[in-house]
Amino acid sequence: MPGSLLVSKTRYNLDLVFANVFFGANFSFYVSLTRNYLDFQQIFMLQVLSAAVFFIPFAIFSRYSYRITWRDAGNILIVTLLIVYGWMYMLLWGSSYTTPIDASVIATLGPAFTLIMDHLMHPRKYIRARVVGVVCALVGAGILILGDGFSLTHGSRAQGNLFVLAAVVAIAVNTVIIKPQLEKLGTLVVMGWYYIIGLAITAPFFWKYIDHVPFLRLPLYAQAELGYILILGTVLPMYLLYRGTEKLTSVHTALYRYIQPVIAGILAITRGQAHFDAANITASVFIFAGVILVVAGYKYYVRHGLPKLRGDGRLEH
């Protein structure tokens, strides 16, 4: 039914909108907690634990878990490593050194790196506008990372930006790899297996970071920030993001990521954590132009009746 199809598409678009709103707010709370109360490793371990508690039952008790093949298991294992250590860990590590605005602007590079990984894994000829778009986006990242000079000293803002960029690359690779498993098994089952594996690979280090922190003695506002990160900043937006990714294309995911720097920027400025400077504005212009060119490449193919998009946003052979 056209009406029900429209409603379902609207629902998944709203999933991506709210996921990016919640993720955008995370950056401000990351910076606040890591600079005043907690090590980023402590927040990371609690994120993994909270997501595991929520998602693992869906994998254990779902009949779809019995449909997992060795190929599915291999993809889920690779993606778990990319998500847990490549994205969550590196994003927190980088955010502890940089500003919420820088981190959220770099996070919008995801579409460009998704295109690069897609081309490496599924080589094909791309139109020139999309190649130029990727280059523009990379120039924007370079402006933020090297804006204070070429010295990547330990704990510097540039090093933080570089770690955030590594996290963006990890989530881009994940987007290319995991789409078939999301469509076959469903979002909740795949995410349940993410965190079964994720808990297993982080558990040996868990008490090293968690045991010595009296979390209940943190100020009330710090407890509220931590609670936000664990529930509204991890469990809920992760589910919304992957449900939207399962049903829509990477073009949708690309456009909605521009919500993150808006939310992060508003919070960072109102809380006195950062301000927009020339590097932020220049980098944003390059990255925005880059992703627009990438998206225009998709629209060009559709408009001229060339191979249509698959569910994951790539072109059919």
Side-chain angles (χ1 to χ4, degrees), residues 229-266:
I229 287 174
L230 299 183
I231 306 302
L232 297 181
T234 300
V235 174
L236 180 58
M238 287 283 283
Y239 170 65
L240 295 176
L241 177 67
Y242 279 92
R243 190 169 69 174
T245 301
E246 176 189 349
K247 301 297 184 180
L248 301 174
T249 72
S250 58
V251 176
H252 298 84
T253 307
L255 293 176
Y256 289 124
R257 281 181 184 167
Y258 282 100
I259 295 172
Q260 291 189 31
V262 175
I263 302 299
I266 292 171

Side-chain angles (χ1 to χ4, degrees), residues 110-122:
F113 283 106
T114 300
L115 180 63
I116 292 171
M117 289 309 305
D118 176 48
H119 181 70
L120 293 175
M121 297 179 67
H122 311 91

Side-chain angles (χ1 to χ4, degrees), residues 142-161:
I143 291 171
L144 283 181
I145 294 170
L146 303 174
D148 294 329
F150 292 94
S151 177
L152 294 174
T153 57
H154 176 69
S156 67
R157 177 175 168 181
Q159 185 187 48
N161 287 337

